[in-house]
Amino acid sequence: MSFVLKEISGYIAVLTINRPDVLNAMNDKVVADLESAVQTCIDDKNVGVIILTGSGDKAFVAGADIKKMQGMGQEGALTFGQAGQDMTLTIENSPKPVIAAVNGFALGGGCEISMACHLRVASETATFGQPEVLLGILPGWGGTQRLPRLVGTGMANEIITTGRMVKATEAKNIGLVNHVVPAGELMEKCISIAKQILKNGPEAIAQSLDCIRKGIGTSIIDGMAIEVKNFSELFGTEEAKEGLTAFVEKRKPSFRD
Ligand code: COA
């Protein structure tokens, strides 16, 4: 049985990491299940946006499974770290936007998974953090790379070296999350963002994400070269013809049906 539940409705897939007895902590089976669930949604033409959340009202994901890591040697850590990184890359490279609905603790690997998503919406009760150094280890699923890109080097240095908790309001203030909403409105807010995205051309969305992802870390000149390539390629698609023609004909474009 998978540790990740999947529900699809109106082109929106909701994936729920479901291991509530340990606050959705991630062992290798949960990592594999999550990667596979995301990949299934990427391959499914009935999915346009993915919302990722955690089971229960306490945690998104409280981190990698500490009990599993306790007995791990260097080789095991390399395999576990690589598997976790690959899973975050599958999320980050998804051509369909992945929204993290952060419903509680997003610590360690949980914070890292949320940062691999294209955007984050947090409930007021959410808490972020990279507390690995408290355990004598470090964030190994992309945390040292994605956190500074989101919040800047100085703040990332502080969060990672102190291992302190970051409450939802602070997370919003430093740019770690896009929105903070009351817990009861979290899913509604994510679905409303997803519906707005779904009105737009799927290929245009995918190519836009591709430009942003590949452009980060390159020079502006290299980034713009990627942008103009994707821009021109879209003009060969039915989708662009439909979008541009619909505007001229003063009607709504039909991208998905
Ligand atoms: N790995 C394995 N088990 C975990 C876990 C993790 N990352 N996080 C929580 N759990 C388990 C606890 O061991 C406990 O299990 P038990 O009932 O068998 O003892 C259960 O989840 C509930 O957690 P508990 O600590 O009792 O809840 P709490 O409300 O008192 O505290 C946290 C919540 C999130 C502050 C606390 O669980 C915690 O610090 N977790 C570890 C966070 C962390 O360091 N993550 C990074 C790992 S690299």
Side-chain angles (χ1 to χ4, degrees):
M1 220 186 77
S2 175
F3 279 114
V4 178
L5 311 176
K6 181 172 70 172
E7 270 180 74
I8 300 174
S9 170
Y11 294 102
I12 300 171
V14 178
L15 299 181
T16 306
I17 301 168
N18 187 32
R19 206 185 169 208
D21 49 325
V22 286
L23 307 184
N24 306 318
M26 307 281 295
N27 61 20
D28 30 18
K29 167 91 168 91
V30 191
V31 170
D33 287 351
L34 178 56
E35 180 160 17
S36 150
V38 172
Q39 191 58 55
T40 307
C41 292
I42 292 171
D43 297 338
D44 186 342
K45 63 176 175 31
N46 293 314
V47 175
V49 176
I50 301 163
I51 298 174
L52 180 58
T53 194
S55 179
D57 55 10
K58 206 168 160 185
F60 175 71
V61 167
D65 190 322
I66 297 172
K67 285 170 196 157
K68 178 193 160 54
M69 290 192 293
Q70 189 194 1
M72 216 179 245
Q74 288 183 353
E75 216 168 293
L78 191 61
T79 307
F80 191 48
Q82 196 68 64
Q85 286 192 348
D86 288 349
M87 171 268 293
T88 66
L89 286 168
T90 299
I91 295 171
E92 189 170 69
N93 292 334
S94 165
K96 300 171 181 180
V98 186
I99 302 173
V102 183
N103 55 314
F105 289 111
L107 301 176
C111 188
E112 290 170 306
I113 291 168
S114 80
M115 290 192 292
C117 296
H118 298 101
L119 58 113
R120 284 148 294 285
V121 182
S123 74
E124 285 168 350
T125 55
T127 302
F128 295 78
Q130 296 289 164
E132 285 87 347
V133 293
L134 276 70
L135 304 167
I137 59 172
L138 63 75
W141 292 356
T144 64
Q145 303 308 303
R146 293 192 180 101
L147 188 59
R149 283 169 167 82
L150 279 168
V151 305
T153 312
M155 189 53 84
N157 287 342
E158 179 186 322
I159 291 170
I160 290 174
T161 60
T162 62
R164 72 176 175 83
M165 304 272 183
V166 177
K167 296 277 181 201
T169 311
E170 185 187 359
K172 168 85 169 58
N173 291 341
I174 62 177
L176 182 52
V177 302
N178 299 52
H179 305 278
V180 178
V181 295
E185 294 169 22
L186 179 62
M187 217 24 96
E188 190 186 318
K189 176 70 180 174
C190 292
I191 286 171
S192 135
I193 295 171
K195 284 185 173 166
Q196 204 173 347
I197 293 171
L198 286 167
K199 288 180 186 157
N200 308 320
E203 197 56 34
I205 291 166
Q207 295 298 331
S208 299
L209 293 177
D210 186 65
C211 291
I212 295 166
R213 184 177 56 248
K214 288 183 181 158
I216 295 284
T218 65
S219 71
I220 193 150
I221 296 296
D222 289 347
M224 286 201 294
I226 296 165
E227 184 185 79
V228 81
K229 177 175 167 289
N230 288 9
F231 176 74
S232 69
E233 277 178 13
L234 278 176
F235 280 74
T237 65
E238 286 305 313
E239 178 180 306
K241 283 192 197 89
E242 167 64 7
L244 297 166
T245 306
F247 180 85
V248 174
E249 292 177 354
K250 297 189 186 299
R251 62 173 172 82
K252 282 199 174 137
S254 169
F255 287 125
R256 288 182 193 269
D257 297 318

